Amino acid sequence: SRFSSQLSSCYMLSLTTAAAAFASPSLHTAPARRAAPPVAVQSPLESLRAPLQTAAATLFSLGLAAQLTAAPLPASADITKADIIAAEERWGDGIVRVGEIYSKGGDYKSAAKILVDLMYGYDQGPVLFKPTKAAEKEFRVTPGEAYSYFVTGQEVEDKGFAIHPWSKVRFDNKQFLLKGDTAAAMGNYYFTDAKTGEETKVDFTFGYFEDVLGNVRINLHHSSLP
C-alpha cells in the first residue's frame, strides 16, 4: 500500500535519524581524554527533540503513525488507478481529520501543514493549485498560500476550507489518464458538512507524479463548483 510510504522525506529522515541518535550514548558525551574525566556535552540533536516530538504527536493525531517505520516503494513504478484512488482517500481523510482537530481545539494548523507537505509536491517543483473558493488569490503556487486556503493565515479572503469542517469526502472519478510515473484524474467529489449533514458537489482535476522516493504526490489540483 502506498499509504504506508506517503511520508515526506524531511519528516521521515528527521524522526527516524533522531530516534536512533537519541538512543546512542556516543552522541551525548565527549570522548574521554587522558588524565581527565569525560565531559558531558549536549548533542545538536537535543535542540531538535521538542519539535520532533511535536511533529510525531501531530502525525499520530493524523493517523499517519504507521508511516514512521515504513520503507518507501522503489522509484520509477508506473502509477495505477488504484494508486490514484488511494491518494484521493488519503487527501479526503486528511481534510476531515484537520477539521476534527480544529473542532477539538487541537493544533490544526500543524496538521494542515503536514497534510499539504505529504500530499502536494511543492518541494519537488511547480504545483498548479486552483482551489474551489479562491477568488482574489485564485492560484496557490506556494506552500504558504496552500496552507492559508485550508486553515487561513496568509490570504485575507481565506476562511479555512478544511476547518469548515467536513465529516466525509467521497470521490466519483469520471476519467483517468495514466502515463508512466505521471497521471491525472477528473470527476466530482462530494463534501459532507459535519454540522448539517448536507453534501456539496464540486468538480475536480488532480494531476499526480511519483517523487524520488516512489510516493504519489499532487502537482495539479483544479477545483470548482459546477
Side-chain angles (χ1 to χ4, degrees):
S1 167
R2 289 184 185 269
F3 177 82
S4 64
S5 70
Q6 190 64 25
L7 182 67
S8 60
S9 57
C10 62
Y11 281 104
M12 183 167 66
L13 290 174
S14 296
L15 291 168
T16 55
T17 303
F22 290 141
S24 174
S26 64
L27 291 180
H28 297 277
T29 57
R33 298 182 179 182
R34 184 174 300 175
V39 179
V41 298
Q42 183 183 47
S43 165
L45 287 173
E46 287 291 347
S47 63
L48 296 176
R49 183 185 297 272
L52 287 173
Q53 288 175 336
T54 299
T58 305
L59 287 168
F60 274 93
S61 71
L62 281 170
L64 301 173
Q67 300 177 37
L68 293 176
T69 57
L73 294 179
S76 301
D78 290 349
I79 297 177
T80 66
K81 289 183 181 179
D83 295 329
I84 293 175
I85 292 171
E88 292 172 344
E89 291 177 351
R90 287 194 298 274
W91 186 91
D93 290 346
I95 293 295
V96 170
R97 189 59 64 94
V98 170
E100 290 175 345
I101 294 172
Y102 168 79
S103 298
K104 295 176 181 179
D107 188 2
Y108 62 95
K109 290 197 172 184
S110 291
K113 183 180 185 304
I114 290 174
L115 173 65
V116 171
D117 291 347
L118 288 176
M119 293 301 304
Y120 293 81
Y122 285 105
D123 63 330
Q124 303 284 309
V127 174
L128 312 181
F129 183 21
K130 166 54 180 78
T132 310
K133 296 185 176 182
E136 297 176 13
K137 184 72 173 182
E138 296 180 77
F139 306 105
R140 305 303 174 94
V141 298
T142 69
E145 292 169 352
Y147 306 149
S148 181
Y149 177 72
F150 288 119
V151 291
T152 74
Q154 183 170 319
E155 304 300 329
V156 175
E157 70 172 314
D158 293 336
K159 305 301 181 185
F161 181 82
I163 59 176
H164 180 80
W166 310 101
S167 62
K168 182 180 179 181
V169 181
R170 67 180 180 90
F171 282 75
D172 180 15
N173 292 289
K174 301 301 183 183
Q175 188 60 277
F176 298 94
L177 177 63
L178 306 176
K179 300 286 286 186
D181 61 358
T182 64
M186 71 174 185
N188 305 114
Y189 46 3
Y190 299 82
F191 297 84
T192 302
D193 190 305
K195 299 176 181 178
T196 67
E198 295 182 359
E199 197 173 60
T200 300
K201 177 182 178 180
V202 183
D203 299 336
F204 76 83
T205 301
F206 277 93
Y208 300 94
F209 73 101
E210 191 177 65
D211 70 13
V212 294
L213 294 177
N215 301 316
V216 174
R217 309 273 291 280
I218 298 166
N219 60 5
L220 167 65
H221 180 186
H222 185 279
S223 185
S224 60
L225 294 171

